[in-house]
Amino acid sequence: MKKIIVLIFGMILFICCQKKITEEQKIPKSKVQEKVISVDSTITDNVQVIAPKGNQIFEESEKLRFLRIVNGYILKSINVEECEDSDENLGTPYPDKIVNEIVFEKNSFTVKFSAVENCCSEFLCEAEIINKSTLNIIYQAFGRHCSCNCKFNLEYTFLIDSSLEDIGQKRTKITHIQFNNDPTSKVKFK
């Protein structure tokens, strides 16, 4: 008799729990719609969505954090000169991703290079060390799309972070530079 009562009690408990779980899974449609952020709006529930504008460093990206903390280099600044020549003046084919100069100073170095991109491009910039010693300079062109390409002169300035040496770690020695993971653009770091 006790077994039957325990069995009935267990079944009632099981049925009640299932009903409660089913009710919790039903979410009113209005609550779901409240959580959707409209692409057209710029401010929703005190959250402001800011689209990238202009040339900028991709601050706090995982690659830049790793470059600073593990490799000992900080991407301090970028400079993008306005479009120099359009398609008509470039000639065909125009060499892309070319290092023009590397300027070394006491605690920093600047890589000056040229890249051919859409005339209306702005750039989102970052960098990383790949293959243990290659500085991979990354730039993502974005913005309006125009019907021409042109040559941009870009500069990335890196600070040499000495704090790794303070804790007994070695800074990564850079031997090569390449652009946007393109191995054909790889050159020696001199």
Side-chain angles (χ1 to χ4, degrees):
M1 183 70 164
K2 284 184 178 181
K3 289 182 181 180
I4 293 175
I5 293 174
V6 170
L7 185 61
I8 292 173
F9 180 72
M11 288 175 49
I12 292 172
L13 186 63
F14 178 75
I15 291 170
C16 290
C17 288
Q18 283 293 69
K19 184 177 178 184
K20 186 175 182 180
I21 290 171
T22 312
E23 288 174 1
E24 288 176 0
Q25 290 175 348
K26 293 180 185 175
I27 300 172
K29 188 175 182 179
S30 62
K31 290 199 181 227
V32 171
Q33 290 175 340
E34 288 174 6
K35 298 296 180 190
V36 174
I37 296 176
S38 173
V39 175
D40 294 340
S41 69
T42 55
I43 299 177
T44 304
D45 295 332
N46 296 326
V47 175
Q48 187 173 5
V49 178
I50 302 172
K53 292 180 182 174
N55 300 308
Q56 57 189 291
I57 296 174
F58 188 15
E59 297 287 346
E60 296 304 318
S61 74
E62 183 177 329
K63 291 175 183 173
L64 287 180
R65 247 183 276 134
F66 199 80
L67 183 69
R68 181 183 72 237
I69 295 169
V70 175
N71 304 120
Y73 300 98
I74 300 168
L75 178 55
K76 180 66 176 170
S77 65
I78 58 158
N79 182 34
V80 180
E81 291 182 14
E82 291 299 317
C83 187
E84 190 174 287
D85 290 319
S86 65
D87 288 302
E88 294 132 19
N89 300 331
L90 291 177
T92 313
Y94 187 77
D96 189 18
K97 302 174 187 145
I98 302 296
V99 173
N100 299 327
E101 182 181 19
I102 302 174
V103 178
F104 294 93
E105 294 181 15
K106 183 179 178 185
N107 294 321
S108 67
F109 63 92
T110 301
V111 179
K112 299 178 180 184
F113 64 99
S114 301
V116 177
E117 291 293 337
N118 188 274
C119 291
C120 297
S121 292
E122 301 286 348
F123 296 93
L124 187 58
C125 305
E126 63 181 336
E128 66 181 337
I129 299 289
I130 58 173
N131 302 327
K132 297 183 182 178
S133 63
T134 300
L135 177 62
N136 185 34
I137 293 179
I138 303 166
Y139 58 90
Q140 297 297 325
F142 69 93
R144 292 183 315 127
H145 186 76
C146 296
S147 62
C148 59
N149 288 328
C150 58
K151 183 177 94 173
F152 289 89
N153 291 316
L154 294 95
E155 294 180 10
Y156 280 48
T157 300
F158 295 88
L159 294 179
I160 299 171
D161 187 6
S162 61
S163 64
L164 281 180
E165 295 162 359
D166 295 343
I167 59 171
Q169 297 294 320
K170 289 186 179 180
R171 183 177 58 253
T172 301
K173 183 176 180 188
I174 299 171
T175 59
H176 293 86
I177 297 176
Q178 75 180 31
F179 301 97
N180 287 347
N181 292 314
D182 181 5
T184 62
S185 68
K186 192 173 191 177
V187 295
K188 287 199 179 269
F189 181 73
K190 299 178 191 179

